[in-house]
Amino acid sequence: MMIALPQERQASFRQRFGDGHFYLACHAALPIALTPDLLYCLWANFQRDMQGNVLDIPWIAVSDILLHLCDEIGHELYEIEPEMRHQLLQSLQNEPRLGQKRLHELCDFLLAYVSNDLEYGDIDARELAETQRWQAIAYQDPDAAAREIAVRLQNLSFTNHPEWLRMAVLVDALKAPLADHQPLLLYTRAMADYMRGRLSAAASKIQQAVNAANEVQVTDVTLPIPEALQATLPPPESPPPVSKRAALLNYLKQHPWQIGGTAIASFALLFGIFYLLRPTPTPPPTDLSSTSPTPSPTLSPTPAPSAETPSPSPSALATPTATPTPPTPQPTATAPQPTPNPTTTLPSGTGTGAPSAQSPNPGQTPAPTPAPTTTTTPTPPRATPSPTPTTAAPSPRTPESDRRALESVQRSQQELAAELATTRGRTDALEARVAEVEANPSSGARQEVNAIGTELTSVKQQIPSMERSLESLLQSIQTLQNTPSTVYTSNDVNTLQRLNEEFAAELATLRGRIDAVEARHSQLVKTYSTSNSTQTPQSASNLSIATVSSVNGNVQVRRASTVGTRGDIFRPVQVGDLLFSNDSIQMPAGASLSVQCRGTNGTLFPVAIQATTPRTLSGSAFCATPSTLRTLPRRIPGGGTR
């Protein structure tokens, strides 16, 4: 059976799942490694194309891509094959609805997503975030990414072999966006060979990476070369002598802006000097006699009371109308008192608006009676009476509060969908492990049953939390339905309601599947608690795992866990791969395969098979009980193992 090429797998995936799944897969091809949370955030943030049209990506596409287009390389960590990622990114750039602008938007999103892990994550999270950051920068600005990587390599010690190998794998994963920086690619491959002890291969690659001066130059960074590789390089070519005139012309060509800036600065300096040294003109004398003085503004003085004018009594100071009293040195307007209304207050025994009956001293001219118009002159208020306190009305709803309420519901739905996708994947793994124990009982099955029980308990504890989240979402959506707003429309609320119904159906399905797994697990517990299995002699049926030590020919393997699913394909067998008891292995005529098998007592022994005719073998020819994903070595994003 032929291996499906990335183009063929891409076309098959699009034909089987539809354009919505394919568009999300194109967006998911930018990160080197994926998590359920990152993939769901991509689904939530890129629901429309560059023209604003809906891409119609269902939320179930998150689980489908993780289960059928990715390989699991760690706990909740997935990877799309590098060639497949490259093809998907090419399709994203060539797609009329997305294009190069969408790729730059994805880069900005990925940089924002990993910024928190770069500062506060643990060492593994920081390494992964730094890898994702370089991937985004490489597609945005390849020169900046190449320079950052070169600076990191420049500071690495030659004794830190694991870090050199990790950086070599990382740079090789970025070979598509860094295609214009071949010296960097060749240098990292040469250093990987050097760290593995392959001196001749490293020397041939380093000779292709150096320039005429035997230096590896990446932008403005010079990378270090080990002495063992430096000794294999030919002597550097001496540059031809350059005359002073040629050197000056070359400098002028390389630094035109500096020379122009210097000339402008010199001209500005000379202009400033001439401006400061210019003669100051003497102003002509001013004829003071012809200038009429401008009177300064003065306040009109208040006329002092005459000796014949009586001063107001103390009781009349609070009113605009004053009763004449014996003269005092103070004017009448020096101490007015504020009045709540223009009504005149008179002393006891006088009528309203009438002058006092008291007469002036004998021998003096009587003062004229005040005009009645003075009683209507308003007095400037000095104190305003405090208003009656009123109860503040409740603040009305604003578009900003409506927007926050809508975003809160959307964010809660995103978190619930990510939790559902994770629980669904864990349930799939539990079903596969239970089926494996039921089909292949062995001496180590009891430990596997106990491990399944622990995982099953952890999965069951997630169901009540998701039910509470679903109920809270239902109440929030009903609140949005009952309070119309200009921020969201009825279609937006209906979309939220539809997603909530899909989440409820998926949660009910998961609850039923978990109950079924729990029933099957209970039966396994009863079986292995009552049976007394005895140790059997070491044989192929008691082997737990087999590691490929050598392969000759086009040998291919198909995992039993993918039979009947969307990932049902054969893949080539490579040195270091793990074979399980129920895998299917295809061997053409003349092919050979050697593996190292581990027995129940931990002993390693080799097994070799030579195919004289085309054959299809079961993995039980090498081992019987498959190992769980937790025993697999962790792969570095981009390839390799750690």
Side-chain angles (χ1 to χ4, degrees):
M1 183 177 180
M2 297 298 295
I3 300 297
L5 298 176
Q7 299 91 334
E8 298 174 358
R9 289 185 60 196
Q10 174 179 319
S12 175
F13 182 83
R14 185 171 190 174
Q15 181 179 3
R16 181 159 191 169
F17 293 99
D19 290 342
H21 282 64
F22 175 73
Y23 290 144
L24 183 59
C26 290
H27 289 76
L30 178 65
I32 289 184
L34 290 170
T35 61
D37 179 73
L38 173 57
L39 187 54
Y40 190 84
C41 287
L42 288 172
W43 172 84
N45 286 274
F46 296 97
Q47 284 285 330
R48 297 180 181 272
D49 61 11
M50 300 309 300
Q51 290 76 33
N53 301 321
V54 178
L55 292 174
D56 195 18
I57 306 175
W59 72 272
I60 200 67
V62 175
S63 299
D64 289 336
I65 290 176
L66 291 178
L67 294 175
H68 306 293
L69 202 62
C70 301
D71 297 325
E72 188 171 7
I73 58 176
H75 178 62
E76 294 189 359
L77 191 64
Y78 301 84
E79 178 194 33
I80 302 177
E81 291 182 356
E83 291 299 326
M84 187 69 176
R85 282 197 304 105
H86 178 66
Q87 292 296 330
L88 288 172
L89 285 175
Q90 290 292 331
S91 299
L92 183 140
Q93 297 177 67
N94 299 331
E95 180 67 32
R97 301 182 64 181
L98 303 174
Q100 188 72 24
K101 188 175 180 181
R102 175 52 56 90
L103 180 61
H104 288 292
E105 289 182 354
L106 276 173
C107 294
D108 293 335
F109 167 81
L110 188 58
L111 290 174
Y113 183 85
V114 303
S115 59
N116 188 60
D117 287 340
L118 284 172
E119 297 182 8
Y120 306 108
D122 55 20
I123 182 170
D124 291 334
R126 284 199 302 270
E127 286 183 359
L128 179 59
E130 186 179 45
T131 303
Q132 305 278 42
R133 177 177 174 274
W134 279 336
Q135 170 79 349
I137 296 178
Y139 277 96
Q140 276 190 330
D141 189 354
D143 295 339
R147 189 184 187 285
E148 285 194 20
I149 296 175
V151 171
R152 170 62 64 86
L153 296 175
Q154 190 181 42
N155 297 325
L156 272 183
S157 171
F158 291 138
T159 59
N160 193 355
H161 292 193
E163 186 64 16
W164 277 103
L165 294 175
R166 189 184 77 88
M167 293 298 296
V169 172
L170 169 63
V171 174
D172 190 66
L174 300 177
K175 61 183 178 183
L178 297 181
D180 295 337
H181 296 275
Q182 288 298 320
L184 177 61
L185 300 176
L186 292 170
Y187 176 80
T188 52
R189 293 168 187 167
M191 292 303 298
D193 289 335
Y194 176 76
M195 295 301 163
R196 293 188 176 100
R198 305 170 187 168
L199 188 59
S200 58
S204 64
K205 292 183 178 68
I206 204 69
Q207 289 175 7
Q208 302 175 34
V210 297
N211 54 16
N214 282 349
E215 295 178 347
V216 180
Q217 195 78 17
V218 179
T219 61
D220 59 341
V221 180
T222 302
L223 297 176
I225 302 176
E227 295 182 358
L229 296 181
Q230 190 77 41
T232 62
L233 297 176
E237 301 177 0
S238 57
V242 181
S243 62
K244 294 182 178 179
R245 182 174 179 274
L248 178 60
L249 291 176
N250 188 28
Y251 181 82
L252 294 177
K253 292 179 181 179
Q254 293 180 357
H255 307 84
W257 293 106
Q258 295 182 6
I259 297 173
T262 304
I264 293 174
S266 302
F267 177 77
L269 179 62
L270 290 175
F271 180 79
I273 293 175
F274 285 132
Y275 181 80
L276 293 176
L277 296 179
R278 76 188 190 285
T280 304
T282 304
T286 304
D287 189 2
L288 299 179
S289 61
S290 62
T291 305
S292 59
T294 302
S296 59
T298 58
L299 297 176
S300 300
T302 303
S306 61
E308 302 174 357
T309 304
S311 61
S313 62
S315 61
L317 289 177
T319 65
T321 304
T323 304
T325 55
T328 59
Q330 274 191 329
T332 59
T334 54
Q337 297 296 326
T339 59
N341 52 62
T343 305
T344 304
T345 304
L346 298 176
S348 175
T350 62
T352 303
S356 174
Q358 184 179 359
S359 60
N361 295 329
Q364 294 181 353
T365 304
T369 303
T373 56
T374 57
T375 59
T376 61
T377 304
T379 302
R382 292 296 183 92
T384 304
S386 60
T388 305
T390 58
T391 305
S395 58
R397 291 172 54 245
T398 61
E400 180 64 22
S401 63
D402 293 342
R403 184 186 62 80
R404 287 197 299 267
L406 180 63
E407 290 179 351
S408 176
V409 174
Q410 291 174 342
R411 184 166 53 253
S412 300
Q413 283 194 337
Q414 293 173 9
E415 295 172 355
L416 179 59
E419 203 169 353
L420 279 171
T422 303
T423 307
R424 182 185 178 193
R426 295 174 68 183
T427 306
D428 291 341
L430 282 173
E431 290 176 342
R433 292 169 66 181
V434 170
E436 200 62 51
V437 174
E438 292 173 344
N440 299 302
S442 63
S443 59
R446 181 177 297 178
Q447 289 79 2
E448 179 66 11
V449 170
N450 294 335
I452 291 174
T454 303
E455 178 71 8
L456 181 61
T457 303
S458 175
V459 172
K460 285 179 60 179
Q461 292 175 354
Q462 300 296 323
I463 298 297
S465 174
M466 289 188 287
E467 289 177 343
R468 290 191 296 270
S469 300
L470 195 63
E471 182 65 24
S472 176
L473 278 172
L474 181 60
Q475 296 177 1
S476 300
I477 293 173
Q478 290 177 351
T479 302
L480 294 178
Q481 287 177 335
N482 298 331
T483 55
S485 173
T486 58
V487 176
Y488 50 84
T489 63
S490 59
N491 292 332
D492 296 332
V493 179
N494 292 337
T495 301
L496 298 176
Q497 180 68 26
R498 179 178 55 81
L499 283 175
N500 220 45
E501 293 173 357
E502 293 180 6
F503 293 156
E506 177 69 15
L507 184 58
T509 303
L510 281 176
R511 192 186 302 110
R513 292 175 60 187
I514 292 172
D515 292 342
V517 172
E518 185 177 17
R520 294 167 63 186
H521 175 260
S522 300
Q523 185 62 34
L524 288 175
V525 171
K526 293 178 182 178
T527 301
Y528 285 98
S529 62
T530 57
S531 63
N532 296 320
S533 58
T534 58
Q535 294 288 339
T536 58
Q538 177 177 311
S539 62
S541 61
N542 289 325
L543 300 176
S544 61
I545 199 168
T547 306
V548 177
S549 56
S550 67
V551 59
N552 183 22
N554 187 19
V555 182
Q556 302 178 13
V557 61
R558 180 179 65 185
R559 300 300 184 193
S561 58
T562 64
V563 175
T565 65
R566 299 163 185 165
D568 185 2
I569 60 174
F570 277 85
R571 302 176 184 271
V573 176
Q574 299 179 357
V575 175
D577 285 353
L578 306 177
L579 298 181
F580 305 110
S581 61
N582 49 3
D583 291 343
S584 297
I585 303 168
Q586 286 187 350
M587 300 181 64
S592 61
L593 183 65
S594 300
V595 299
Q596 287 287 336
C597 299
R598 183 180 297 276
T600 55
N601 58 359
T603 305
L604 290 174
F605 59 92
V607 175
I609 292 181
Q610 176 76 33
T612 56
T613 59
R615 302 178 60 184
T616 299
L617 305 175
S618 172
S620 58
F622 305 99
C623 58
T625 303
S627 176
T628 61
L629 290 176
R630 290 177 288 103
T631 61
L632 295 177
R634 180 180 177 185
R635 296 175 56 197
I636 301 174
T641 59
R642 174 178 291 180

